């Protein structure tokens, strides 16, 4: 049997009794909903100060699956893996601890820490001294050290049961879904919007997706994949919407009628107008963006202030003070960095000298030249999908990029990983020609290659290869496939 004890987030534990009860009940429900996918007989019990998880399936694969999924449930900051054992004496506890923990403390310093709940003829300190002394005498190289030991052996005692902690795991923290109101994330598929979306999910907000399509099928497919990935990883206990708005007509109207330096700010204001209208349709209470102060010209404080005043809808920016390196680090941790790196960029409008201190009077003057019927039309024609449809739809859309696991003779493999990835783990295939062209140079370099050969794109997970293959197909290069060993 496998048993895990989910510790409550400290911010949940200090809330009022009614709020704490609601939060823990939602967390219990979400945990059970996830784990039932693996074990329909899993037991999840709310014990007020923790949530216990038990399964009779104890193979290594199931254990790893449970751990991986619990780590991604919003509201779980920490959970321990325990072995439950009944006892009559302290020596019973010691013998079981020796069996489970001896291999972890061999040749190391250690201490024993005990938490006890119930009526016993011994104290927590008694158990610590007895178990610690026994381990010190009977485990080779182990030495008790009460301050900053290499290993802390943890035991929890409740009534006539002892729980010996074998591993401690850490989750993403935050609050359970959906303890906060629904929000609408303006998702572009890049580093920033993906991380901002994740941050709102982990804070307990059911997060819908809004994509402004500025042109390009590859971009839309990529954004759908990123959105579905984020939902499946961190939010799959709840249904959300994926909304697409064709923004090309809006961009065309801006390019034709708006003064060059004001175009970037006005494009953002149009997006916020559209976002507010869509948010109302899906009952979302705030718009989420990945903007960070000073990162680009439209994200100065002056420009953000002008952008915000276009709507009364709350605009949240979880990354407002993050540096780009911080954002990329989080993207790597949550698994979106590769997809973000490969995402085609569609800037929509590029000002030669964009304003960094927009004035409301100038913006309103330029917006007076804009035909708002265009904006109303694209909002009206927005497509709304259940996020669960995206997976099958995405599979259909990328079918034209054939994937192979075995290479034919005379195959040429193009390693499209970044130089850092390639240097850290070079791809070497016996008898196969391998050429390294980073994904960000592929579009310009591929045409220089001999076109009488078949090329197989390789990357770590295959996502980048699929997107780049699709882009090359759109440009007329059909001699491209994906290599997934």
């Amino acid at each position: 049997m496998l048993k895990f004890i989910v510790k409550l987030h400290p911010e949940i534990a200090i809330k009022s009794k009614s709020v704490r009860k609601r939060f823990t009940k939602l967390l219990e429900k979400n945990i059970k909903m996830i784990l039932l996918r693996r074990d329909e007989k899993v037991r999840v019990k709310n014990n007020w100060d923790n949530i216990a998880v038990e399964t009779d399936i104890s193979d290594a694969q199931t254990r790893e699956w449970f751990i991986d999924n619990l780590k991604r449930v919003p509201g779980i900051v920490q959970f321990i893996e325990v072995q439950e054992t009944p006892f009559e004496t302290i020596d019973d506890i010691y013998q079981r601890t020796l069996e489970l923990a001896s291999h972890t403390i061999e040749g190391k310093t250690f201490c024993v820490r005990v938490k006890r709940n119930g009526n016993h003829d011994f104290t927590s300190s008694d158990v610590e001294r007895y178990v610690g002394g026994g381990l010190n005498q009977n485990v080779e190289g182990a030495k008790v050290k009460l301050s900053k030991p290499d290993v802390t052996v943890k035991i929890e005692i409740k009534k006539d049961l002892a729980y010996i902690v074998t591993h401690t795991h850490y989750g993403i923290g935050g609050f359970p879904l959906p303890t906060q109101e629904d929000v609408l994330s303006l998702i572009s598929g890049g580093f920033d919007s993906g991380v901002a979306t994740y941050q709102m999910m982990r804070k307990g907000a059911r997060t819908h997706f809004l994509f402004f399509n500025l042109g390009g099928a590859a971009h839309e497919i990529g954004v759908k994949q990123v959105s579905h990935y984020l939902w499946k990883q961190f939010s799959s206990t709840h249904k959300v919407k994926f909304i697409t708005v064709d923004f090309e007509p809006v961009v065309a109207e801006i390019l034709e009628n708006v003064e060059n330096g004001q175009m970037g700010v006005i494009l953002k204001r149009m997006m916020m107008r559209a976002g507010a209208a869509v948010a109302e349709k899906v009952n979302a209470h705030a718009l989420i963006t990945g903007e960070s102060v000073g990162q680009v010209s439209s994200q100065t404080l002056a420009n953000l202030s002008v952008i915000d005043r276009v709507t009364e809808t709350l605009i949240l920016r979880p990354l407002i003070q993050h540096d780009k390196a911080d954002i990329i680090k989080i993207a790597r941790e949550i698994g979106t960095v590769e997809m973000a790196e490969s995402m085609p960029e569609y800037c929509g409008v590029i000002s030669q000298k964009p304003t960094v201190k927009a004035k409301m009077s100038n913006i309103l003057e330029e917006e007076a030249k804009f035909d708002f019927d265009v904006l109303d039309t694209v909002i009206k024609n927005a497509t709304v999908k259940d996020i669960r449809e995206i997976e099958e739809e995405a599979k259909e859309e990328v079918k034209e990029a054939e994937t192979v696991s075995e290479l034919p003779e005379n195959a040429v493999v193009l390693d499209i990983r970044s130089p850092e990835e390639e240097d850290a783990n070079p791809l070497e295939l016996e008898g196969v020609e391998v050429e390294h062209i980073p994904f960000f140079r592929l579009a310009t370099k591929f045409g220089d290659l001999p076109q009488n050969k078949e090329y197989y794109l390789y990357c770590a997970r295959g996502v980048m290869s699929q997107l780049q293959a699709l882009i090359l197909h759109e440009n007329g290069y059909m001699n491209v496939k994906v290599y997934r060993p």
Side-chain angles (χ1 to χ4, degrees):
M1 184 181 75
L2 294 173
K3 182 160 186 171
F4 303 91
I5 297 177
V6 177
K7 302 290 187 178
L8 294 188
H9 192 300
E11 290 187 37
I12 297 176
I14 63 173
K15 292 190 179 298
S16 67
K17 186 176 180 179
S18 60
V19 173
R20 176 172 171 170
K21 183 177 180 180
R22 180 169 67 89
F23 277 36
T24 53
K25 190 173 182 179
L26 284 170
L27 182 56
E28 176 191 11
K29 181 181 177 181
N30 292 343
I31 291 172
K32 191 168 187 177
M33 195 180 302
I34 292 289
L35 300 185
L36 280 171
R37 297 169 185 171
R38 183 77 179 194
D39 176 14
E40 62 183 17
K41 296 181 180 179
V42 67
R43 299 177 293 280
V44 181
K45 184 180 179 182
N46 188 345
N47 296 317
W48 179 247
D49 62 340
N50 66 65
I51 295 174
V53 175
E54 293 181 0
T55 174
D56 294 325
I57 306 175
S58 56
D59 61 274
Q61 190 176 11
T62 297
R63 174 181 175 270
E64 289 301 321
W65 191 94
F66 267 60
I67 292 169
D68 178 58
N69 280 270
L70 286 171
K71 283 181 176 180
R72 293 185 277 103
V73 176
I76 297 180
V77 67
Q78 182 186 116
F79 60 100
I80 58 175
E81 190 174 351
V82 301
Q83 288 288 334
E84 179 183 283
T85 182
F87 70 92
E88 293 182 359
T89 67
I90 295 179
D91 189 65
D92 294 336
I93 299 173
Y94 159 68
Q95 294 295 340
R96 186 62 171 145
T97 305
L98 178 64
E99 178 185 346
L100 293 171
S102 59
H103 69 284
T104 66
I105 63 173
E106 287 181 0
K108 297 178 181 178
T109 60
F110 76 96
C111 72
V112 178
R113 292 287 179 254
V114 176
K115 291 183 178 180
R116 187 179 59 85
N117 188 350
N119 296 318
H120 305 95
D121 58 1
F122 53 80
T123 66
S124 298
S125 297
D126 292 336
V127 181
E128 289 175 352
R129 285 193 294 268
Y130 189 95
V131 174
L135 295 175
N136 190 60
Q137 291 178 13
N138 293 292
V139 178
E140 185 177 351
K143 184 178 180 181
V144 171
K145 184 182 179 185
L146 300 181
S147 177
K148 297 182 180 179
D150 297 327
V151 179
T152 299
V153 179
K154 298 178 181 179
I155 303 172
E156 297 191 10
I157 299 171
K158 291 190 176 182
K159 299 181 180 178
D160 59 350
L161 293 174
Y163 300 92
I164 300 162
V165 179
T166 57
H167 298 87
T168 299
H169 306 281
Y170 296 93
I172 62 175
F175 294 137
L177 285 161
T179 53
Q180 311 303 313
E181 288 83 358
D182 286 17
V183 298
L184 181 64
S185 177
L186 278 54
I187 186 85
S188 69
F191 296 107
D192 304 338
S193 64
V195 173
T197 301
Y198 158 75
Q199 296 285 29
M200 295 309 300
M201 289 175 172
R202 69 175 291 277
K203 288 300 286 185
R206 180 161 41 196
T207 305
H208 304 272
F209 301 88
L210 173 58
F211 169 54
F212 292 110
N213 194 341
L214 304 181
H219 190 193
E220 183 172 358
I221 292 170
V223 173
K224 286 178 178 177
Q225 287 183 329
V226 172
S227 302
H228 185 271
Y229 172 86
L230 287 166
W231 169 79
K232 193 169 185 178
Q233 290 290 100
F234 307 107
S235 182
S236 65
T237 52
H238 292 80
K239 301 175 186 177
V240 300
K241 302 295 185 184
F242 181 91
I243 303 100
T244 302
V245 177
D246 179 9
F247 234 54
E248 283 189 277
V250 175
V251 171
E253 183 71 14
I254 291 174
L255 289 172
E256 185 174 343
N257 297 301
V258 173
E259 190 271 321
N260 187 277
Q262 315 295 327
M263 291 193 301
V265 171
I266 289 178
L267 176 61
K268 286 294 182 70
R269 281 169 60 89
M270 296 300 170
M271 288 180 171
M272 297 307 165
R273 284 188 174 98
V278 173
E280 186 174 358
K281 290 182 180 180
V282 299
N283 197 30
H285 293 253
L287 301 178
I288 310 302
T289 81
E291 292 164 314
S292 175
V293 168
Q295 196 171 101
V296 296
S297 61
S298 65
Q299 296 175 21
T300 62
L301 289 178
N303 287 354
L304 291 175
S305 175
V306 170
I307 292 168
D308 279 12
R309 281 184 274 172
V310 77
T311 176
E312 293 184 0
T313 303
L314 177 64
I315 301 173
L316 298 178
R317 298 180 172 90
L319 310 183
I320 195 65
Q321 54 78 41
H322 281 56
D323 295 330
K324 195 69 174 184
D326 299 330
I327 297 169
I328 293 174
K329 180 182 177 183
I330 298 172
R332 184 169 287 109
E333 291 170 354
I334 65 177
T336 60
V337 70
E338 183 181 279
M339 290 181 279
E341 285 176 336
S342 64
M343 201 62 59
E345 289 290 341
Y346 293 92
C347 300
V349 297
I350 301 176
S351 300
Q352 294 176 354
K353 292 183 179 180
T355 180
V356 294
K357 291 185 178 180
K359 294 181 179 179
M360 184 59 74
S361 57
N362 293 342
I363 293 297
L364 293 175
E365 182 180 342
E366 292 300 316
E367 285 186 346
K369 307 172 185 176
F370 185 91
D371 182 0
F372 279 89
D373 287 341
V374 173
L375 183 64
D376 294 339
T377 300
V378 299
I379 295 171
K380 181 180 178 181
N381 293 334
T383 60
V384 182
K385 295 181 180 291
D386 186 316
I387 191 70
R388 294 172 298 179
E389 298 175 22
I390 299 298
E391 186 170 23
E392 291 304 316
E393 185 180 278
K395 286 179 182 177
E396 292 298 319
E397 286 175 322
V398 299
K399 272 185 178 177
E400 54 186 304
E402 181 184 344
T403 300
V404 303
S405 58
E406 296 184 3
L407 295 167
E409 289 185 18
N410 302 318
V412 180
V413 174
L414 299 183
D415 184 349
I416 65 170
R417 295 174 297 168
S418 66
E420 294 78 11
E421 285 184 284
E422 197 272 338
D423 288 342
N425 187 23
L427 178 65
E428 296 179 358
L429 301 171
E430 186 175 350
V432 176
E433 181 182 349
V434 178
E435 187 170 344
H436 182 237
I437 302 178
F439 64 90
F440 50 81
R441 293 202 181 104
L442 190 61
T444 56
K445 292 279 189 180
F446 190 83
D448 298 332
L449 299 174
Q451 295 303 309
N452 59 346
K453 296 183 179 182
E454 292 284 334
Y455 294 95
Y456 297 81
L457 307 188
Y458 170 81
C459 66
R461 296 184 184 177
V463 177
M464 187 190 304
S465 299
Q466 285 283 9
L467 290 175
Q468 294 297 330
L470 183 62
I471 293 169
L472 291 173
H473 286 177
E474 287 185 341
N475 289 326
Y477 298 109
M478 304 308 295
N479 54 336
V480 181
K481 298 178 182 179
V482 173
Y483 173 52
R484 289 283 288 158

